[in-house]
Amino acid sequence: MGHDPEMEIDSLWNEYGEVFREFDDLTLARWMAQTLGQLRGRVWRLSHPLVGCYRLAARTANERQVWLKRLVVVPADYPESACCRAPVLPLLTRDVLQCGLGCLHCDGTAVPLDELPPDLLPMITDWAEQYEKVHAVAHWDQAQQSSVADYDQEFDAAAEKAEELLSLAGRVLAPRLLELYPAVVWEDQDECLEVQPEDIKL
């Protein structure tokens, strides 16, 4: 019987999240507010364990609409997101052209692309367009693969370029976003190109 990797990962995350589902709403809200305070003032890898824990809590909080209940005082410098009214904790990913800055709470769009400052928008747009071309190599069909002398070599070159671009996101783009938001998370892996967080050097 075949295995669906995405379903297996979802099942694992569901298991990880049990601890937060055992929290009552007030305890969950307090934990998240305190963690937002710890996240403040830095850019964070998406793979960071603290961010992973927060994402698990955020999933449960979104299901229960905890932020709408106003149970705790949110750290003052976190604005309210338009997508789900949770505190804005933007996520920079390679899908920024299509989705803007992602929301860690509801997986929607925390900040639409056109709301970014005019001096920052071209930098992020250029980065995302470059990444789109690099990432596409992982999804070449048979005809495209046959059009080059050595597809494995093309794949490896694309993976190396992806590492450079993801590093750029962490070193340059995310810190620029930190000038606008109290904390920023950036995607530091590309499973399609077999790029892992440990491959991204800052």
Side-chain angles (χ1 to χ4, degrees):
M1 182 177 179
H3 296 282
D4 185 333
E6 290 190 6
M7 288 186 63
E8 291 177 350
I9 291 174
D10 286 344
S11 176
L12 188 60
W13 272 79
N14 188 58
E15 179 184 332
Y16 290 160
E18 286 180 6
V19 63
F20 292 109
R21 289 194 293 275
E22 293 173 358
F23 286 7
D24 59 53
D25 287 355
L26 179 58
T27 301
L28 181 60
R30 283 175 172 169
W31 187 92
M32 295 185 71
Q34 290 172 349
T35 305
L36 285 172
Q38 294 172 324
L39 294 173
R40 183 199 288 119
R42 290 183 57 183
V43 297
W44 297 84
R45 289 174 178 259
L46 184 60
S47 65
H48 194 286
L50 183 59
V51 174
C53 287
Y54 188 86
R55 290 177 68 196
L56 290 170
R59 178 181 294 185
T60 298
N62 186 60
E63 291 171 355
R64 298 186 194 169
Q65 297 187 325
V66 165
W67 292 113
L68 301 184
K69 299 175 183 178
R70 309 295 184 189
L71 299 173
V72 296
V73 176
V74 178
D77 45 354
Y78 282 88
E80 184 179 275
S81 62
C83 53
C84 62
R85 297 177 63 186
V88 171
L89 182 57
L91 170 63
L92 174 62
T93 74
R94 63 176 181 265
D95 298 321
V96 65
L97 288 180
Q98 295 78 28
C99 306
L101 299 179
C103 175
L104 261 71
H105 298 94
C106 70
D107 295 328
T109 298
V111 183
L113 192 64
D114 59 7
E115 290 186 8
L116 293 176
D119 61 326
L120 184 55
L121 181 58
M123 294 175 59
I124 290 181
T125 299
D126 179 65
W127 174 85
E129 289 175 346
Q130 289 186 61
Y131 201 98
E132 194 172 54
K133 295 175 183 177
V134 170
H135 181 81
V137 175
H139 301 283
W140 280 3
D141 59 26
Q142 192 61 46
Q144 290 171 304
Q145 293 182 29
S146 300
S147 69
V148 296
D150 188 337
Y151 175 67
D152 288 340
Q153 185 175 352
E154 293 288 333
F155 185 95
D156 290 342
E160 290 182 7
K161 184 62 176 178
E163 291 174 15
E164 294 175 7
L165 289 170
L166 290 173
S167 176
L168 179 67
R171 290 183 292 104
V172 178
L173 300 181
R176 286 293 306 274
L177 289 168
L178 190 62
E179 298 172 9
L180 306 172
Y181 306 102
V184 175
V185 181
W186 59 282
E187 187 176 38
D188 62 340
Q189 64 181 357
D190 187 329
E191 294 177 354
C192 299
L193 286 171
E194 300 177 2
V195 175
Q196 300 301 317
E198 58 267 25
D199 299 322
I200 311 304
K201 311 302 181 185
L202 299 179

